[in-house]
């Protein structure tokens, strides 16, 4: 526990200034973090990020991550959209299966493209959300962190019924519900301070849905790790695992907030 606390404090001290400042330094940091996340998920399947298909997939990730204004500039300069670049990448990976005579397979292509989307879409919306204002990023972080903390402590104290033992044996139904309740309380307190331009009814509904999706994002990451037989996605954060272990919930929450038109 001591190691987890120390790591969390150091990581927060390094990460929060970038979030507050935003702009290009924040975007570059997100690109780096996403690249580490891609490295982690590829490693689970035994694919090196520094192999040819790994590098091609990294390029796909960078395309997905591009902020909207960047992608507009690229399209104006090259006449190709993000979707068209991703289509070209998919074709290249499929050609690679032929060149390697199916030692690199169609399944590998699907895994690489899905990995780029899984990591890239969530982190793309991290960049986009920060561009809309600091308050929205803080709100998302508050929902995720309070949900995780509420689920953990309430689950330990009151948890009796397993939520999804095949995926994550320690999570309980009581913890799941407790995480939602704590997130709602935290969202209301945040609204009193930040005064977002929405009603409390809307805030509560969005917070409930975001809390649920955040916990589902955590379960998705658990399912991936269980499938590939690993405990943590990486070791970059001692006591906490890898980038995907720490940002799995946000990868689901941030796109959801845009989908619900809560941001933008």
């Amino acid at each position: 526990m001591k190691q987890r606390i120390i790591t969390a404090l150091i990581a927060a001290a390094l990460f929060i200034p970038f979030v507050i400042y935003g702009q290009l330094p924040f975007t570059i940091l997100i690109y780096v973090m996403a690249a580490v996340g891609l490295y982690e998920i590829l490693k689970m399947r035994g694919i090196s990020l520094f192999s040819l298909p790994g590098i091609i997939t990294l390029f796909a990730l960078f395309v997905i991550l591009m902020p909207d204004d960047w992608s507009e500039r690229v399209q104006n300069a090259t006449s190709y959209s993000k979707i068209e670049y991703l289509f070209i990448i998919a074709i290249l990976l499929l050609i690679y299966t032929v060149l390697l005579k199916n030692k690199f397979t169609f399944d590998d292509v699907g895994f690489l493209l899905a990995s780029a989307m899984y990591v890239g879409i969530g982190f793309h919306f991290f960049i986009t959300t920060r561009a809309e204002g600091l308050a929205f990023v803080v709100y998302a972080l508050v929902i995720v962190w309070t949900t995780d903390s509420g689920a953990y402590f309430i689950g330990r104290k009151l948890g009796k019924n397993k939520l999804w033992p095949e995926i994550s044996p320690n999570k309980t139904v009581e913890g799941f519900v407790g995480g939602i309740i704590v997130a709602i309380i935290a969202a209301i307190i945040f609204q009193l301070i930040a005064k977002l331009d929405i009603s409390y009814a809307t805030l509560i509904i969005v917070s409930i849905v975001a809390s649920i999706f955040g916990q589902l994002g955590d379960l998705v990451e658990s399912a991936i790790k269980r499938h590939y037989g690993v405990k943590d996605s990486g070791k970059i954060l001692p006591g906490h695992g890898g980038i995907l272990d720490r940002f799995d919930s946000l990868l689901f929450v941030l796109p959801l907030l845009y989908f619900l038109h809560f941001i933008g």
Side-chain angles (χ1 to χ4, degrees):
M1 180 61 72
K2 182 179 179 181
Q3 184 185 50
R4 287 176 62 88
I5 294 174
I6 293 174
T7 300
L9 291 174
I10 294 174
L14 295 173
F15 181 66
I16 290 176
F18 283 91
V19 176
I20 294 173
Y21 185 78
Q23 303 182 60
L24 184 59
F26 177 73
T27 300
I28 293 173
L29 176 64
I30 294 301
Y31 264 76
V32 172
M33 292 169 56
V36 175
L38 183 66
Y39 166 82
E40 291 173 352
I41 195 168
L42 264 58
K43 186 178 179 181
M44 293 184 200
R45 192 177 172 94
I47 299 176
S48 172
L49 181 65
F50 305 104
S51 64
L52 181 57
I55 292 172
I56 293 174
T57 307
L58 181 63
F59 181 71
L61 174 70
F62 286 172
V63 169
I64 295 170
L65 286 172
M66 278 195 297
D68 294 338
D69 57 334
W70 289 17
S71 61
E72 288 177 7
R73 293 174 191 171
V74 170
Q75 184 167 354
N76 289 336
T78 66
S79 299
Y80 291 109
S81 67
K82 290 173 70 170
I83 296 298
E84 289 168 324
Y85 276 111
L86 292 174
F87 176 76
I88 293 170
I89 289 168
I91 293 297
L92 291 175
L93 289 172
L94 289 170
I95 291 173
Y96 193 66
T97 66
V98 176
L99 296 178
L100 261 64
K101 301 177 181 179
N102 254 0
K103 292 179 181 178
F104 176 82
T105 68
F106 186 81
D107 289 345
D108 292 321
V109 174
F111 170 81
L112 290 174
L113 294 175
S115 296
M117 291 181 63
Y118 170 60
V119 177
I121 290 174
F123 278 114
H124 165 78
F125 280 105
F126 208 158
I127 297 171
T128 305
T129 301
R130 180 59 188 88
E132 294 290 338
L134 180 60
F136 295 110
V137 172
V138 175
Y139 168 78
L141 292 172
V142 165
I143 292 298
V144 168
W145 289 345
T146 55
T147 295
D148 287 348
S149 298
Y152 176 75
F153 288 109
I154 293 175
R156 286 192 63 181
K157 188 71 174 179
L158 304 175
K160 295 180 180 179
N161 301 292
K162 297 296 183 181
L163 177 65
W164 223 306
E166 298 86 358
I167 300 298
S168 186
N170 294 326
K171 296 189 185 304
T172 64
V173 174
E174 293 80 5
F176 184 85
V177 175
I180 297 172
I181 294 172
V182 173
I184 292 172
I185 295 171
I188 292 173
I189 295 173
F190 179 79
Q191 174 69 330
L192 291 172
I193 299 171
K195 301 186 184 304
L196 298 175
D197 189 22
I198 57 171
S199 68
Y200 277 95
T202 300
L203 177 77
I204 291 171
I205 292 172
V206 170
S207 298
I208 291 172
V209 177
S211 180
I212 292 172
F213 266 71
Q215 295 188 71
L216 289 174
D218 184 53
L219 286 169
V220 167
E221 175 67 11
S222 295
I224 294 171
K225 291 187 294 186
R226 184 165 288 272
H227 176 72
Y228 289 107
V230 298
K231 182 179 182 295
D232 295 315
S233 66
K235 300 179 180 179
I236 193 171
L237 301 170
H240 291 267
I243 291 296
L244 294 181
D245 291 313
R246 292 302 92 207
F247 288 88
D248 49 9
S249 296
L250 275 172
L251 295 182
F252 277 57
V253 170
L254 291 171
L256 171 73
L257 295 179
Y258 260 85
F259 179 77
L260 294 176
H261 300 292
F262 182 74
I263 299 172

